[in-house]
Amino acid sequence: MQPFTPYQRLAAGLMALLQFAVVLDFMIMSPLGVMIMPALRMSAGEFGTAVSAYAFSAGIAGLLTAGFADRFDRKRLLLFFFGGFLLGTLWCGLATSFVSLLAARIVTGLFGGVIGSIVMAITADLFPPAQRGRVMGLLQGGFAASQVLGLPFSIFLASRFDWHAPFIAIVLFGLLAALVIATRLQPVNAHLGAAGTGRHSAGRHLLQTVRVSRQQLAFALTALLTTGGFMLMPFASAFVVHNVGIPLDHLPVIYLVTGLCTLVFSPLIGRMADRVGTMPVFYAGCAITIATVAVYTHLGPSPLWLLILVNVVMFVGIFSRMIPAQATLAGVPAPEQRGSFNAINSALQQLAGGVPRWWRATSSTSGRTPRPGLRPGGLRRDRIDAGGRAADAPAGARPAGRRRALDGAFTVSPVIDP
Protein backbone atom coordinates (compact mmCIF):
# COMPACT_ATOMS: atom_id res chain seq x y z
CA MET A 1 0.00 0.00 0.00
CA GLN A 2 1.14 3.51 -0.78
CA PRO A 3 2.01 5.26 2.52
CA PHE A 4 0.77 8.72 3.46
CA THR A 5 3.16 11.65 3.20
CA PRO A 6 3.57 13.86 6.32
CA TYR A 7 1.36 16.51 4.71
CA GLN A 8 -1.30 13.93 3.86
CA ARG A 9 -1.30 12.76 7.49
CA LEU A 10 -1.77 16.37 8.61
CA ALA A 11 -4.60 16.93 6.12
CA ALA A 12 -6.34 13.67 7.09
CA GLY A 13 -6.10 14.57 10.77
CA LEU A 14 -7.55 18.03 10.15
CA MET A 15 -10.44 16.62 8.13
CA ALA A 16 -11.15 14.09 10.91
CA LEU A 17 -11.17 16.91 13.49
CA LEU A 18 -13.69 18.81 11.39
CA GLN A 19 -15.86 15.71 11.15
CA PHE A 20 -15.62 15.33 14.92
CA ALA A 21 -16.79 18.90 15.59
CA VAL A 22 -19.60 18.98 13.00
CA VAL A 23 -20.98 15.53 13.88
CA LEU A 24 -20.83 16.31 17.62
CA ASP A 25 -22.77 19.53 17.12
CA PHE A 26 -25.38 17.61 15.12
CA MET A 27 -25.70 14.79 17.66
CA ILE A 28 -25.51 16.71 20.93
CA MET A 29 -29.03 18.12 20.75
CA SER A 30 -30.83 14.86 21.43
CA PRO A 31 -29.11 13.87 24.71
CA LEU A 32 -29.36 17.47 25.93
CA GLY A 33 -33.11 17.49 25.38
CA VAL A 34 -33.84 16.56 28.98
CA MET A 35 -32.16 19.82 30.03
CA ILE A 36 -33.13 22.07 27.14
CA MET A 37 -36.88 21.41 27.14
CA PRO A 38 -37.58 22.44 30.75
CA ALA A 39 -35.04 25.28 30.63
CA LEU A 40 -36.68 26.85 27.56
CA ARG A 41 -40.19 25.56 28.35
CA MET A 42 -40.34 23.67 25.08
CA SER A 43 -42.77 20.91 24.19
CA ALA A 44 -41.59 17.66 22.63
CA GLY A 45 -42.91 18.84 19.28
CA GLU A 46 -40.96 22.10 19.48
CA PHE A 47 -37.83 20.24 20.48
CA GLY A 48 -38.28 17.85 17.55
CA THR A 49 -38.56 20.84 15.23
CA ALA A 50 -35.36 22.33 16.64
CA VAL A 51 -33.50 19.02 16.26
CA SER A 52 -34.59 18.42 12.67
CA ALA A 53 -34.17 22.06 11.62
CA TYR A 54 -30.43 21.49 11.32
CA ALA A 55 -30.86 18.58 8.92
CA PHE A 56 -33.44 20.32 6.75
CA SER A 57 -31.46 23.56 6.49
CA ALA A 58 -28.27 21.58 5.82
CA GLY A 59 -29.97 19.72 2.99
CA ILE A 60 -31.25 22.95 1.45
CA ALA A 61 -27.80 24.55 1.81
CA GLY A 62 -26.18 21.61 0.04
CA LEU A 63 -28.44 22.05 -2.96
CA LEU A 64 -27.97 25.83 -3.02
CA THR A 65 -24.17 25.66 -2.87
CA ALA A 66 -23.79 22.83 -5.39
CA GLY A 67 -23.83 25.23 -8.33
CA PHE A 68 -20.80 27.26 -7.25
CA ALA A 69 -18.92 24.80 -5.03
CA ASP A 70 -16.27 24.23 -7.72
CA ARG A 71 -15.58 27.89 -8.47
CA PHE A 72 -13.36 28.61 -5.46
CA ASP A 73 -10.31 27.36 -3.66
CA ARG A 74 -11.68 24.59 -1.45
CA LYS A 75 -9.60 25.73 1.54
CA ARG A 76 -11.16 29.22 1.46
CA LEU A 77 -14.61 27.74 0.96
CA LEU A 78 -14.03 25.44 3.94
CA LEU A 79 -12.92 28.30 6.19
CA PHE A 80 -15.92 30.42 5.16
CA PHE A 81 -18.49 27.76 5.94
CA PHE A 82 -16.68 26.57 9.06
CA GLY A 83 -16.68 30.16 10.34
CA GLY A 84 -20.43 30.40 9.78
CA PHE A 85 -20.88 27.05 11.50
CA LEU A 86 -19.00 28.31 14.57
CA LEU A 87 -21.11 31.48 14.68
CA GLY A 88 -24.29 29.40 14.53
CA THR A 89 -23.00 27.10 17.28
CA LEU A 90 -22.12 30.15 19.41
CA TRP A 91 -25.68 31.38 18.90
CA CYS A 92 -26.92 28.00 20.18
CA GLY A 93 -24.74 28.48 23.26
CA LEU A 94 -26.37 31.87 23.90
CA ALA A 95 -29.98 30.94 23.07
CA THR A 96 -32.59 31.74 25.73
CA SER A 97 -35.84 30.78 23.98
CA PHE A 98 -37.27 28.27 21.56
CA VAL A 99 -37.32 30.82 18.74
CA SER A 100 -33.68 31.82 19.21
CA LEU A 101 -32.57 28.17 19.47
CA LEU A 102 -34.53 27.27 16.34
CA ALA A 103 -33.00 30.16 14.42
CA ALA A 104 -29.54 29.20 15.67
CA ARG A 105 -29.96 25.59 14.55
CA ILE A 106 -31.11 26.73 11.11
CA VAL A 107 -28.04 28.97 10.72
CA THR A 108 -25.74 26.22 12.00
CA GLY A 109 -27.22 23.77 9.52
CA LEU A 110 -26.93 26.19 6.59
CA PHE A 111 -23.17 26.37 7.13
CA GLY A 112 -22.38 23.07 8.84
CA GLY A 113 -24.27 20.98 6.32
CA VAL A 114 -21.89 22.01 3.55
CA ILE A 115 -18.68 21.27 5.46
CA GLY A 116 -18.94 17.51 4.99
CA SER A 117 -19.16 17.87 1.21
CA ILE A 118 -16.11 20.18 1.14
CA VAL A 119 -14.17 17.71 3.28
CA MET A 120 -15.00 14.92 0.84
CA ALA A 121 -13.97 17.03 -2.14
CA ILE A 122 -10.66 17.97 -0.48
CA THR A 123 -10.06 14.31 0.39
CA ALA A 124 -10.61 13.25 -3.22
CA ASP A 125 -8.26 16.00 -4.43
CA LEU A 126 -5.42 15.18 -2.02
CA PHE A 127 -5.58 11.38 -1.91
CA PRO A 128 -5.35 9.02 -4.91
CA PRO A 129 -7.74 6.05 -5.18
CA ALA A 130 -5.20 3.65 -3.62
CA GLN A 131 -5.28 5.69 -0.36
CA ARG A 132 -8.93 6.66 -0.10
CA GLY A 133 -10.06 3.62 1.87
CA ARG A 134 -7.69 4.47 4.71
CA VAL A 135 -8.56 8.16 4.77
CA MET A 136 -12.30 7.39 4.74
CA GLY A 137 -11.70 5.04 7.65
CA LEU A 138 -10.04 7.90 9.54
CA LEU A 139 -12.95 10.23 8.76
CA GLN A 140 -15.43 7.65 10.05
CA GLY A 141 -13.19 7.34 13.11
CA GLY A 142 -13.90 11.01 13.73
CA PHE A 143 -17.60 10.17 13.72
CA ALA A 144 -17.03 7.39 16.26
CA ALA A 145 -14.84 9.62 18.42
CA SER A 146 -17.67 12.15 18.65
CA GLN A 147 -19.80 9.43 20.26
CA VAL A 148 -17.13 7.92 22.51
CA LEU A 149 -15.35 11.10 23.61
CA GLY A 150 -17.45 14.09 22.56
CA LEU A 151 -20.90 13.10 23.80
CA PRO A 152 -19.86 11.97 27.33
CA PHE A 153 -17.68 15.07 27.80
CA SER A 154 -20.46 17.33 26.51
CA ILE A 155 -23.00 15.77 28.84
CA PHE A 156 -20.52 16.21 31.71
CA LEU A 157 -20.13 19.91 30.87
CA ALA A 158 -23.90 20.34 30.67
CA SER A 159 -24.47 18.66 34.05
CA ARG A 160 -21.55 20.52 35.65
CA PHE A 161 -22.41 23.98 34.33
CA ASP A 162 -25.39 24.44 31.99
CA TRP A 163 -26.75 23.02 28.72
CA HIS A 164 -25.13 25.94 26.90
CA ALA A 165 -21.62 24.83 27.91
CA PRO A 166 -21.15 22.06 25.29
CA PHE A 167 -21.87 24.48 22.45
CA ILE A 168 -19.37 26.99 23.82
CA ALA A 169 -16.79 24.19 24.12
CA ILE A 170 -17.37 23.21 20.46
CA VAL A 171 -16.79 26.83 19.43
CA LEU A 172 -13.50 27.02 21.35
CA PHE A 173 -12.35 23.72 19.89
CA GLY A 174 -13.43 24.84 16.43
CA LEU A 175 -11.48 28.10 16.67
CA LEU A 176 -8.29 26.15 17.34
CA ALA A 177 -9.03 23.83 14.40
CA ALA A 178 -9.74 26.82 12.12
CA LEU A 179 -6.43 28.41 13.12
CA VAL A 180 -4.50 25.25 12.22
CA ILE A 181 -6.36 24.92 8.90
CA ALA A 182 -5.69 28.55 8.00
CA THR A 183 -1.96 28.27 8.73
CA ARG A 184 -1.07 24.69 7.80
CA LEU A 185 -3.44 23.54 5.06
CA GLN A 186 -2.25 24.46 1.59
CA PRO A 187 -4.65 25.91 -1.02
CA VAL A 188 -6.75 23.24 -2.72
CA ASN A 189 -7.29 24.81 -6.13
CA ALA A 190 -6.02 22.36 -8.76
CA HIS A 191 -9.58 21.91 -10.02
CA LEU A 192 -9.74 25.58 -11.02
CA GLY A 193 -7.43 24.86 -13.95
CA ALA A 194 -9.67 22.14 -15.37
CA ALA A 195 -11.40 22.79 -18.68
CA GLY A 196 -14.86 24.26 -18.30
CA THR A 197 -14.50 25.36 -14.67
CA GLY A 198 -16.43 28.57 -14.01
CA ARG A 199 -17.71 28.92 -17.59
CA HIS A 200 -21.32 28.11 -16.78
CA SER A 201 -23.88 29.63 -14.45
CA ALA A 202 -24.46 28.03 -11.04
CA GLY A 203 -27.76 26.55 -12.16
CA ARG A 204 -26.32 25.06 -15.33
CA HIS A 205 -23.35 23.61 -13.42
CA LEU A 206 -25.79 21.96 -11.00
CA LEU A 207 -27.81 20.50 -13.87
CA GLN A 208 -24.69 19.21 -15.59
CA THR A 209 -23.71 17.40 -12.41
CA VAL A 210 -27.12 15.81 -12.01
CA ARG A 211 -27.46 14.77 -15.67
CA VAL A 212 -24.46 12.42 -15.67
CA SER A 213 -25.89 8.89 -15.49
CA ARG A 214 -22.92 7.55 -13.52
CA GLN A 215 -23.43 10.23 -10.91
CA GLN A 216 -27.16 9.56 -10.77
CA LEU A 217 -26.36 5.98 -9.74
CA ALA A 218 -24.04 7.36 -7.07
CA PHE A 219 -26.78 9.62 -5.71
CA ALA A 220 -29.18 6.67 -5.62
CA LEU A 221 -26.63 4.59 -3.70
CA THR A 222 -26.13 7.39 -1.17
CA ALA A 223 -29.89 7.80 -0.67
CA LEU A 224 -30.38 4.06 -0.15
CA LEU A 225 -27.46 3.68 2.27
CA THR A 226 -28.49 6.70 4.33
CA THR A 227 -32.22 6.00 4.39
CA GLY A 228 -31.61 2.39 5.38
CA GLY A 229 -29.64 3.47 8.43
CA PHE A 230 -32.08 6.17 9.51
CA MET A 231 -35.04 3.80 9.20
CA LEU A 232 -33.53 1.79 12.04
CA MET A 233 -31.35 3.98 14.23
CA PRO A 234 -33.81 6.69 15.40
CA PHE A 235 -35.92 4.02 17.13
CA ALA A 236 -33.07 1.96 18.55
CA SER A 237 -33.24 3.28 22.11
CA ALA A 238 -36.99 2.66 22.37
CA PHE A 239 -36.57 -0.82 20.90
CA VAL A 240 -33.75 -1.70 23.32
CA VAL A 241 -35.74 -0.56 26.36
CA HIS A 242 -39.17 -1.89 25.43
CA ASN A 243 -38.48 -5.05 23.44
CA VAL A 244 -35.08 -6.23 24.56
CA GLY A 245 -35.71 -5.30 28.20
CA ILE A 246 -32.48 -3.38 28.81
CA PRO A 247 -32.79 -0.80 31.62
CA LEU A 248 -32.45 2.81 30.56
CA ASP A 249 -29.34 3.37 32.66
CA HIS A 250 -27.49 0.67 30.66
CA LEU A 251 -27.89 2.46 27.33
CA PRO A 252 -24.70 4.55 27.76
CA VAL A 253 -22.74 1.31 28.19
CA ILE A 254 -24.09 0.01 24.87
CA TYR A 255 -23.19 3.20 23.02
CA LEU A 256 -19.78 3.44 24.69
CA VAL A 257 -18.74 -0.11 23.78
CA THR A 258 -20.16 0.21 20.27
CA GLY A 259 -18.40 3.52 19.73
CA LEU A 260 -15.06 2.20 20.98
CA CYS A 261 -15.28 -0.81 18.69
CA THR A 262 -16.21 1.40 15.76
CA LEU A 263 -13.26 3.68 16.56
CA VAL A 264 -10.94 0.66 16.41
CA PHE A 265 -12.47 -1.08 13.39
CA SER A 266 -12.95 1.97 11.10
CA PRO A 267 -9.23 2.40 10.23
CA LEU A 268 -8.88 -1.37 9.85
CA ILE A 269 -11.79 -1.46 7.42
CA GLY A 270 -10.22 1.38 5.45
CA ARG A 271 -6.89 -0.46 5.24
CA MET A 272 -8.67 -3.60 4.12
CA ALA A 273 -10.46 -1.65 1.38
CA ASP A 274 -7.13 -0.34 0.08
CA ARG A 275 -5.53 -3.77 0.28
CA VAL A 276 -8.16 -6.05 -1.32
CA GLY A 277 -10.37 -3.50 -3.08
CA THR A 278 -13.43 -1.50 -2.11
CA MET A 279 -16.07 -3.72 -3.69
CA PRO A 280 -15.18 -7.00 -1.88
CA VAL A 281 -15.27 -5.13 1.44
CA PHE A 282 -18.54 -3.45 0.48
CA TYR A 283 -20.20 -6.76 -0.43
CA ALA A 284 -18.97 -8.34 2.81
CA GLY A 285 -20.31 -5.37 4.77
CA CYS A 286 -23.71 -5.70 3.08
CA ALA A 287 -23.89 -9.40 3.95
CA ILE A 288 -22.93 -8.77 7.58
CA THR A 289 -25.42 -5.90 7.86
CA ILE A 290 -28.31 -7.88 6.39
CA ALA A 291 -27.68 -10.82 8.70
CA THR A 292 -27.23 -8.80 11.89
CA VAL A 293 -30.17 -6.46 11.19
CA ALA A 294 -32.38 -9.55 10.80
CA VAL A 295 -31.14 -10.84 14.18
CA TYR A 296 -31.28 -7.42 15.87
CA THR A 297 -34.83 -6.57 14.84
CA HIS A 298 -36.12 -9.95 16.08
CA LEU A 299 -34.49 -9.81 19.50
CA GLY A 300 -36.76 -10.46 22.45
CA PRO A 301 -35.75 -10.02 26.10
CA SER A 302 -31.99 -10.64 26.04
CA PRO A 303 -28.94 -10.18 28.29
CA LEU A 304 -26.87 -7.05 27.95
CA TRP A 305 -23.80 -8.87 26.59
CA LEU A 306 -25.77 -10.40 23.72
CA LEU A 307 -27.25 -7.08 22.68
CA ILE A 308 -23.81 -5.43 22.77
CA LEU A 309 -22.34 -8.25 20.67
CA VAL A 310 -25.08 -7.99 18.04
CA ASN A 311 -24.85 -4.18 18.07
CA VAL A 312 -21.08 -4.19 17.57
CA VAL A 313 -21.20 -6.70 14.70
CA MET A 314 -24.04 -4.74 13.08
CA PHE A 315 -22.08 -1.49 13.21
CA VAL A 316 -18.97 -3.20 11.86
CA GLY A 317 -21.14 -4.29 8.92
CA ILE A 318 -22.59 -0.79 8.50
CA PHE A 319 -19.16 0.85 8.46
CA SER A 320 -17.88 -1.89 6.15
CA ARG A 321 -20.47 -0.60 3.69
CA MET A 322 -20.02 3.12 4.28
CA ILE A 323 -16.21 3.36 4.15
CA PRO A 324 -15.67 1.54 0.82
CA ALA A 325 -18.78 3.22 -0.60
CA GLN A 326 -17.39 6.66 0.22
CA ALA A 327 -13.98 5.71 -1.18
CA THR A 328 -15.64 4.55 -4.40
CA LEU A 329 -17.94 7.56 -4.68
CA ALA A 330 -14.97 9.92 -4.27
CA GLY A 331 -13.71 8.78 -7.66
CA VAL A 332 -17.01 9.13 -9.52
CA PRO A 333 -17.06 12.85 -10.45
CA ALA A 334 -14.45 14.68 -12.46
CA PRO A 335 -12.29 17.12 -10.44
CA GLU A 336 -14.21 20.12 -11.77
CA GLN A 337 -17.50 18.61 -10.49
CA ARG A 338 -16.38 17.21 -7.13
CA GLY A 339 -17.66 20.15 -5.14
CA SER A 340 -21.15 20.12 -6.64
CA PHE A 341 -21.34 16.32 -6.61
CA ASN A 342 -20.46 16.10 -2.91
CA ALA A 343 -22.77 19.00 -2.05
CA ILE A 344 -25.72 17.16 -3.62
CA ASN A 345 -24.64 13.94 -1.95
CA SER A 346 -24.47 15.68 1.43
CA ALA A 347 -27.91 17.22 0.87
CA LEU A 348 -29.38 13.77 0.24
CA GLN A 349 -27.82 12.46 3.45
CA GLN A 350 -29.07 15.37 5.54
CA LEU A 351 -32.62 15.25 4.17
CA ALA A 352 -32.75 11.47 4.61
CA GLY A 353 -31.81 11.92 8.25
CA GLY A 354 -34.00 14.92 8.99
CA VAL A 355 -37.38 13.32 8.34
CA PRO A 356 -36.96 10.36 10.74
CA ARG A 357 -35.56 12.62 13.46
CA TRP A 358 -38.46 15.05 13.13
CA TRP A 359 -40.98 12.18 13.10
CA ARG A 360 -39.36 10.55 16.08
CA ALA A 361 -39.21 13.61 18.30
CA THR A 362 -42.66 14.98 17.40
CA SER A 363 -44.67 11.75 17.26
CA SER A 364 -45.36 11.83 20.99
CA THR A 365 -47.48 14.95 20.42
CA SER A 366 -49.39 13.64 17.42
CA GLY A 367 -52.59 13.14 19.35
CA ARG A 368 -52.19 9.47 20.27
CA THR A 369 -53.48 8.40 23.64
CA PRO A 370 -50.55 7.24 25.80
CA ARG A 371 -50.65 3.54 26.52
CA PRO A 372 -50.64 2.26 30.09
CA GLY A 373 -47.16 1.71 31.47
CA LEU A 374 -45.60 4.51 29.40
CA ARG A 375 -44.24 7.75 30.76
CA PRO A 376 -44.18 10.84 28.54
CA GLY A 377 -41.45 10.13 26.02
CA GLY A 378 -42.33 6.47 25.77
CA LEU A 379 -40.23 4.89 28.54
CA ARG A 380 -41.95 2.10 30.43
CA ARG A 381 -42.54 2.29 34.15
CA ASP A 382 -42.42 -1.46 34.38
CA ARG A 383 -39.62 -3.88 33.55
CA ILE A 384 -39.64 -6.97 31.36
CA ASP A 385 -38.98 -10.21 33.20
CA ALA A 386 -37.20 -13.31 31.91
CA GLY A 387 -40.47 -14.76 30.65
CA GLY A 388 -41.06 -11.82 28.34
CA ARG A 389 -43.83 -10.17 30.42
CA ALA A 390 -43.85 -6.80 32.07
CA ALA A 391 -42.97 -7.26 35.73
CA ASP A 392 -46.19 -5.65 36.97
CA ALA A 393 -48.38 -7.10 34.20
CA PRO A 394 -50.91 -9.86 34.88
CA ALA A 395 -49.78 -13.45 34.39
CA GLY A 396 -51.77 -13.82 31.18
CA ALA A 397 -50.25 -10.81 29.47
CA ARG A 398 -48.98 -11.31 25.94
CA PRO A 399 -45.27 -12.15 25.87
CA ALA A 400 -42.83 -9.59 24.53
CA GLY A 401 -41.07 -12.18 22.41
CA ARG A 402 -39.59 -12.29 18.95
CA ARG A 403 -42.78 -11.43 17.06
CA ARG A 404 -43.80 -8.62 19.28
CA ALA A 405 -44.14 -5.30 17.49
CA LEU A 406 -42.01 -2.30 18.44
CA ASP A 407 -43.74 -1.53 21.73
CA GLY A 408 -43.82 2.22 22.05
CA ALA A 409 -41.38 2.72 19.21
CA PHE A 410 -43.39 5.61 17.88
CA THR A 411 -43.62 7.33 21.26
CA VAL A 412 -40.00 7.62 22.17
CA SER A 413 -37.72 9.68 24.33
CA PRO A 414 -35.63 12.44 22.78
CA VAL A 415 -33.06 12.09 25.55
CA ILE A 416 -30.78 9.39 24.16
CA ASP A 417 -30.10 9.01 20.47
CA PRO A 418 -27.72 6.54 18.84
Side-chain angles (χ1 to χ4, degrees), residues 10 33 87 170 188 209 284 290 293 346 365 390 408:
L10 171 66
L87 289 175
I170 292 174
V188 187
T209 303
I290 291 171
V293 166
S346 177
T365 60

Side-chain angles (χ1 to χ4, degrees), residues 217-228:
L217 291 175
F219 295 144
L221 174 61
T222 297
L224 289 173
L225 288 174
T226 306
T227 305

Side-chain angles (χ1 to χ4, degrees), residues 14-259:
L14 290 176
M15 298 304 103
L17 286 178
L18 288 178
Q19 287 285 86
F20 174 87
V22 174
V23 171
L24 179 60
D25 179 270
F26 178 65
M27 295 177 63
I28 194 61
M29 280 288 289
S30 290
L32 290 182
V34 69
M35 303 178 187
I36 294 175
M37 285 192 286
L40 301 185
R41 297 181 179 179
M42 295 167 55
S43 66
E46 290 173 332
F47 181 76
T49 302
V51 169
S52 57
Y54 180 104
F56 288 126
S57 62
I60 294 172
L63 295 176
L64 292 177
T65 58
F68 61 84
D70 295 300
R71 295 190 173 195
F72 304 96
D73 174 10
R74 302 202 202 283
K75 174 186 173 180
R76 293 186 177 182
L77 202 64
L78 177 64
L79 287 173
F80 171 77
F81 280 99
F82 192 57
F85 164 79
L86 293 179
L87 289 175
T89 303
L90 178 62
W91 190 354
C92 294
L94 301 175
T96 56
S97 67
F98 163 67
V99 174
S100 61
L101 180 62
L102 178 63
R105 295 311 293 169
I106 292 174
V107 171
T108 307
L110 287 174
F111 289 94
V114 183
I115 293 174
S117 64
I118 303 174
V119 166
M120 290 300 173
I122 291 176
T123 300
D125 285 347
L126 298 183
F127 296 87
Q131 295 178 327
R132 286 175 187 162
R134 280 169 286 166
V135 72
M136 293 302 174
L138 292 175
L139 293 182
Q140 290 298 327
F143 173 86
S146 68
Q147 284 188 307
V148 176
L149 303 175
L151 282 180
F153 183 65
S154 298
I155 295 172
F156 167 77
L157 289 178
S159 59
R160 178 67 176 82
F161 299 101
D162 182 65
W163 69 265
H164 299 87
F167 295 102
I168 303 299
I170 292 174
V171 172
L172 296 176
F173 175 83
L175 288 174
L176 293 176
L179 179 62
V180 176
I181 292 172
T183 56
R184 300 296 301 277
L185 188 68
Q186 299 173 6
V188 187
N189 54 12
H191 62 284
L192 297 179
T197 300
R199 294 184 180 179
H200 307 296
S201 64
R204 186 174 178 183
H205 185 62
L206 173 62
L207 290 176
Q208 285 183 333
T209 303
V210 175
R211 284 175 179 172
V212 179
S213 58
R214 178 179 170 85
Q215 293 174 181
Q216 291 173 355
L217 291 175
F219 295 144
L221 174 61
T222 297
L224 289 173
L225 288 174
T226 306
T227 305
F230 278 107
M231 286 175 66
L232 180 67
M233 290 301 104
F235 306 109
S237 58
F239 175 78
V240 167
V241 172
H242 303 322
N243 290 57
V244 187
I246 302 298
L248 180 63
D249 55 2
H250 287 178
L251 289 182
V253 177
I254 300 171
Y255 300 143
L256 176 62
V257 175
T258 304

Side-chain angles (χ1 to χ4, degrees), residues 330-353:
V332 170
E336 63 272 17
Q337 289 186 333
R338 280 176 182 157
S340 59
F341 171 85
N342 284 289
I344 297 171
N345 232 20
S346 177
L348 289 174
Q349 292 175 339
Q350 296 289 352
L351 293 174

